[in-house]
Amino acid sequence: MKLKELESHLSHVENFSNAKEYLEQYMTTPHLAARMIYTAQTQYDDIENHLLIDLGIGTGMLSIASCLLNADHIFGFDCDIDALNLCQSNIKEFELESNIDLIQADLRRIRLPVDLHRIIADTVIMNPPFGTKPFSSSTENQDELCLTGIDMHFLQYARQLARHSIYSLHKTSTRDHIYKKAKDWNMNMDVLAVLQFDIPKLEKKRSNRKTSTASNAPLKSIEVDFIRFEIKDNTDD
Amino acid sequence: MLTSNILKGVTRGFPLKIKADKMEHISVDYNRDFIARIIPRIEYDALRAAVNDLGLNESLPEAMSETLQQDDEFLKTMHKVLLEYEVEEGELICPETGRKFPISKGIPNMLLQETEVS
């Protein structure tokens, strides 16, 4: 399938109608998702006939793109039931019910065993939340926030779940920090592209925070790296 | 069905038990190559336990040998068990603590309460 064709198919993925700001929910665009997955397959052969995990599956955009490029099977995780319902609806629309399984889990809470036998996916794909600074006010429920560094949390789980590679997005401003972590975690790291992202700006101390949606939140433009991590220590492969 | 099996592989060391209140039997096109690729990745014992828990009328051999992985009948049975049975409503149960994780609309809810986080 050609890139343009893939992007065209993905234009049918339905967006959030009430994106939750505090979870940093927004749809990965068909344009970006098509390029991410197309690159992963054509340059690295990481999609077709492989088992994938999508962390923070959201609308299902990345997973649907991967199935269209013949991934074997995908397990998608998200903490929000509304996102999962939307995802399920998108999966039905594309008739991919037997290709994508969904699990509701909060990656801020669940502990995954660091047990090599348990590594089950070839490739992990994700567009993680980037996190905001924690509120200074202690009355806010901190658990509901995507705190700074949450994308590193996602990356840590990805590292435990992937056999071969991880495709992810992280703020360019954190690149050096991520490079260090990648080294610590025995992974090669390649920045495949630098993008300009418009994400809904998460503002502090807004009383209507819970009810405001991404559609009326002001946009913030940030530089984002599209990164491929390769797992180094699989000596039995 | 695949979901509950990977969760059994992923969470802790002990497989979660599975209980169904509502199961669906769906028809999925058989893809031999896909099944042959997947089965070495499956926790076979956990899968057999799940088939047993659910009382499915499918017989799976005690062990999965190399030769068995090439056997068409076995592959077809694995296809049925992995893809054609869906637990729509039910539970995954931790054998250590008895903690139940509900399954709703085919989605297991693994969210932990504040008090459960160590």
Side-chain angles (χ1 to χ4, degrees):
Chain A
M1 185 184 294
K2 296 217 166 95
L3 177 59
K4 270 200 173 22
E5 209 184 322
L6 178 60
E7 188 178 339
S8 169
H9 282 302
L10 295 177
S11 66
H12 298 293
V13 174
E14 197 187 313
N15 200 348
F16 292 103
S17 53
N18 278 308
K20 293 174 183 135
E21 228 186 272
Y22 65 91
L23 290 177
E24 218 182 284
Q25 289 179 334
Y26 59 89
M27 183 176 76
T28 307
T29 62
H31 180 93
L32 175 56
R35 275 152 189 78
M36 283 172 71
I37 304 302
Y38 189 79
T39 301
Q41 175 50 30
T42 55
Q43 277 189 32
Y44 299 98
D45 216 352
D46 275 335
I47 306 292
E48 183 168 327
N49 292 348
H50 287 303
L51 267 186
L52 268 54
I53 281 180
D54 187 343
L55 295 179
I57 190 171
T59 59
M61 180 68 75
L62 290 175
S63 289
I64 289 168
S66 301
C67 287
L68 293 176
L69 292 193
N70 300 309
D72 260 353
H73 198 89
I74 310 188
F75 297 101
F77 292 78
D78 205 289
C79 65
D80 180 40
I81 195 64
D82 294 324
L84 289 166
N85 285 330
L86 172 62
C87 189
Q88 220 168 29
S89 155
N90 280 325
I91 288 170
K92 271 198 177 73
E93 187 62 37
F94 281 81
E95 295 183 340
L96 293 172
E97 294 101 313
S98 60
N99 301 80
I100 305 173
D101 282 325
L102 301 176
I103 298 139
Q104 184 177 15
D106 188 339
L107 294 183
R108 295 168 296 189
R109 299 283 183 84
I110 202 170
R111 280 193 165 267
L112 297 177
V114 188
D115 181 346
L116 292 179
H117 301 305
R118 307 299 182 195
I119 294 173
I120 42 118
D122 298 308
T123 307
V124 174
I125 54 179
M126 59 188 191
N127 180 0
F130 296 145
T132 58
K133 290 194 180 62
F135 279 13
S136 50
S137 151
S138 56
T139 54
E140 279 289 339
N141 184 355
Q142 297 282 306
D143 291 333
E144 289 180 342
L145 300 177
C146 282
L147 301 177
T148 312
I150 191 167
D151 61 332
M152 295 314 295
H153 222 62
F154 271 66
L155 186 59
Q156 194 165 25
Y157 284 123
R159 174 61 182 87
Q160 291 174 39
L161 294 169
R163 270 171 63 172
H164 294 301
S165 53
I166 299 166
Y167 291 84
S168 185
L169 297 163
H170 298 275
K171 290 188 290 190
T172 303
S173 58
T174 60
R175 188 186 297 175
D176 287 342
H177 174 67
I178 294 176
Y179 185 68
K180 282 200 198 90
K181 284 288 179 188
K183 259 182 106 181
D184 289 343
W185 296 341
N186 213 17
M187 302 192 287
N188 285 325
M189 173 174 147
D190 269 306
V191 177
L192 301 182
V194 183
L195 323 151
Q196 210 66 31
F197 243 52
D198 286 332
I199 58 165
K201 185 177 177 182
L202 305 176
E203 287 187 24
K204 299 185 200 180
K205 293 182 182 165
R206 280 229 303 258
S207 53
N208 60 343
R209 197 170 203 258
K210 283 240 187 100
T211 55
S212 67
T213 64
S215 56
N216 59 27
L219 293 178
K220 178 170 139 168
S221 186
I222 51 171
E223 263 200 330
V224 171
D225 287 342
F226 170 40
I227 303 176
R228 176 180 191 267
F229 300 91
E230 188 176 272
I231 310 301
K232 282 205 287 194
D233 59 356
N234 276 336
T235 50
D236 54 354
D237 269 331
Chain B
M1 188 64 171
L2 259 181
T3 318
S4 61
N5 194 263
I6 70 110
L7 286 176
K8 289 171 179 230
V10 161
T11 50
R12 309 281 155 178
F14 353 98
L16 299 171
K17 298 186 97 47
I18 186 167
K19 173 177 162 282
D21 295 318
K22 178 170 172 231
M23 285 216 55
E24 291 220 340
H25 194 121
I26 54 179
S27 192
V28 178
D29 288 342
Y30 175 61
N31 181 339
R32 191 191 195 280
D33 290 337
F34 164 71
I35 297 295
R37 275 196 300 274
I38 286 276
I39 57 178
R41 319 281 296 264
I42 296 287
E43 297 255 51
Y44 187 69
D45 291 336
L47 184 67
R48 278 193 86 225
V51 169
N52 195 45
D53 285 352
L54 295 170
L56 300 182
N57 191 18
E58 304 288 347
S59 68
L60 289 175
E62 260 177 52
M64 184 170 66
S65 61
E66 287 280 329
T67 35
L68 204 56
Q69 287 183 40
Q70 310 294 321
D71 180 69
D72 280 325
E73 278 310 304
F74 177 71
L75 290 175
K76 288 206 178 99
T77 307
M78 288 299 271
H79 164 84
K80 269 181 36 177
V81 159
L82 288 171
L83 297 175
E84 296 192 328
Y85 288 101
E86 283 295 325
V87 177
E88 279 295 300
E89 308 292 324
E91 302 172 322
L92 291 168
I93 307 153
C94 175
E96 284 273 310
T97 62
R99 164 66 153 105
K100 294 177 180 166
F101 296 97
I103 301 171
S104 177
K105 295 204 281 184
I107 302 174
N109 180 347
M110 312 300 289
L111 295 178
L112 300 175
Q113 299 306 312
E114 186 67 54
T115 49
E116 290 177 293
V117 183
S118 50

